[in-house]
Amino acid sequence: MEIKDQLYEGKAKVIFSTDDPELSVMYFKDDATAFDGKKKGTIQNKGVMNNIVSSRIFEMLAEKGVKSHYVEKLSEREMVVKKLEIIPVEVIIRNLTAGSLSKRLGIEEGLELKETIIEFCYKSDPLGDPFINEYVARAMGYATKEEMEFMTEVAFKVNDILKEFFDERGIILVDYKLEFGRHNGEVLLGDEITPDGCRLWDKKTREKLDKDRFRRDLGGVEEAYKEVMDKVLK
Ligand code: 5GP
């Protein structure tokens, strides 16, 4: 397989086409952004660590029957993925209160929820990924009813698997964001599953082991990403 042109450059990754029309290569950068790109920085070696973490998680999910765009880890910072037509709906799952939910409702972080929450956002940097619901997604043609139902089902299944996976490693999966895309008529899990898009807390100390360390200037960002990587590889 030969890597061809750059198709897209995002905040944390670059996507390249290949000589195989079915496949792309995803390159993981060390760049970190927060607050819709208003805060910019670098997390040393993040690209390498996120490629390792995401590859391991996609492999583990595949073993449990969750299909993603992941094909193989190509190099330190590159992953071969199936080419996707991205569905512009971000799917967020929350197991505990945190982040924008806490802000919106004026409640502290880390509270137990009576039920798992699913939320949808419209994937748009200029608009700051606004909150939408299923009706908006369908009415605007972002996704069909069947796609919304499928993404909901997969997001909850991924939650069951990931909650247990992290729990066994002494980590609480607080919340996370998933993205999906279409490939040959099939909806696949896309993007990455890493501390960039998940809130992960140490089970004993409740110390944050994710991008909130960068967002909130808590220090020890690289160390937290490394701790997650080491535990994911266990
Ligand atoms: P919140 O809505 O509380 O800001 O985020 C909820 C969860 O989804 C967090 O784990 C957060 O990391 C993830 N998330 C939400 N939007 C984005 C996004 O645009 N990019 C990334 N990397 N993660 C996001």
Side-chain angles (χ1 to χ4, degrees), residues 11 90 92 94 98-101 119 129 175-177 196-199 211 215:
K11 287 171 286 187
E90 297 187 346
I92 291 167
R94 300 181 187 275
S100 69
L101 179 78
E119 293 175 359
D129 299 341
D175 56 29
Y176 59 92
K177 183 236 346 170
D196 267 15
C198 302
R199 285 198 173 90
K211 200 168 149 191
R215 294 186 186 105

Side-chain angles (χ1 to χ4, degrees), residues 145-162:
K145 183 173 189 289
E146 290 70 29
E147 286 171 338
M148 292 302 289
E149 283 168 2
F150 181 73
M151 292 192 290
T152 300
E153 187 188 311
V154 173
F156 280 116
K157 181 168 180 185
V158 167
N159 194 43
D160 289 340
I161 298 168
L162 283 189

Side-chain angles (χ1 to χ4, degrees), residues 37-48:
K38 287 185 206 81
K39 181 182 170 101
K40 287 193 177 75
T42 305
I43 300 174
Q44 209 68 40
N45 237 17
K46 174 169 79 84
V48 175

